[in-house]
Amino acid sequence: MIITLLSDFGYQDNYAAVTKGILLQQMPHANIIDLSHDVEPYHLLECSYLLKSGYTNFPDYTVHLSLFNILHENPAKVLLARKNNQFIISADNGLLPLTFDDTLDAIYKYDAFAKNYTEWMQLAARLIKDLEQSQFDLKNLEAYQPATNGAQFSAIESENAIECQVIHIDYYGNVIVNITNDKFEQIRQGRNFQIHIVRDVLNKIGTDYADVTEPGKAVCLFNSAGFLEIAVNQGSASKLLGLKLHKDKMIYYQHIKIEFL
């Protein structure tokens, strides 16, 4: 069985290793893969993006275990969702409805609660083992409607513009915003456009990073996950353009505005 891990633990502490130890106690044969442990602490949008852009690359019957903000409530629930033969386990913290809208095949609640992280992980490990032993038969689980927290993953749309927010900054300082290629073309309808990025205005979308050859120049392109990315030749777009992860009550200039002409 393949199990992926997604968290905001970072690598300074031993939380990720302890998690793997708990899983391996139940399933010594498990193939555990780190999706990421560098989610900005408590940044639900970034966690959602990393899950949304990553889970489709795995074989059927992979279990994706989100360790993000487990103790959002106490006692904490263990939720299981199914999406195209992929299985996602998360706390009831808004991640599932934010990431998948209404497209999940089903959402279930495990029949026990946890008062701390270790208890939650033990329950999650037991659930994963049960799934494997039952060959992913979910009939004994209770259907559940998860909580939402009011966060919005999608960009703000109007007839002639899209206001995008920064949802991820990668290791190289490339900035990913919350608009996909499909949604961009749906709203664009063949029109010209301008992308306003702080002090820069771009009117084209490249196909790769080499579309700009001058160091320090910005380029926009849709990344392999289909989301709009802002990069700078031989530099960090985040640092050079002053872009940070979107947070509530952030001032307006942090938005990336796309105008259709």
Side-chain angles (χ1 to χ4, degrees), residues 1-5 19-20 23-35 58-59 61-65 128 132:
M1 171 182 283
I2 298 173
I3 304 170
T4 74
L5 302 180
T19 296
K20 294 175 185 180
L23 290 169
L24 291 171
Q25 284 181 338
Q26 294 283 341
M27 295 158 288
H29 59 283
N31 183 6
I32 303 174
I33 297 173
D34 296 310
L35 195 60
F58 289 86
Y61 302 103
T62 294
V63 175
H64 305 280
L65 180 57
I128 297 171
E132 183 181 40

Side-chain angles (χ1 to χ4, degrees), residues 36-99:
S36 178
H37 294 295
D38 278 334
V39 177
E40 179 81 5
Y42 306 109
H43 201 289
L44 185 61
L45 284 175
E46 184 174 40
C47 186
S48 179
Y49 166 75
L50 291 170
L51 176 59
K52 185 190 290 281
S53 61
Y55 83 97
T56 57
N57 297 287
F58 289 86
D60 283 356
Y61 302 103
T62 294
V63 175
H64 305 280
L65 180 57
S66 169
L67 310 171
F68 175 83
N69 201 12
I70 286 173
L71 296 177
H72 172 77
E73 58 179 359
N74 199 346
K77 303 181 188 73
V78 178
L79 303 186
L80 171 70
R82 179 171 182 162
K83 175 74 174 178
N84 299 332
N85 283 333
Q86 303 280 321
F87 294 83
I88 303 97
I89 294 176
S90 170
D92 191 13
N93 54 22
L95 178 64
L96 295 176
L98 178 68
T99 305

Side-chain angles (χ1 to χ4, degrees), residues 21-22 40 62 68 122 127 143 169 183 217 230:
I22 293 172
E40 179 81 5
T62 294
F68 175 83
Q122 289 169 342
L127 172 57
I169 299 172
K183 178 61 71 171
K217 287 294 184 181
I230 304 163

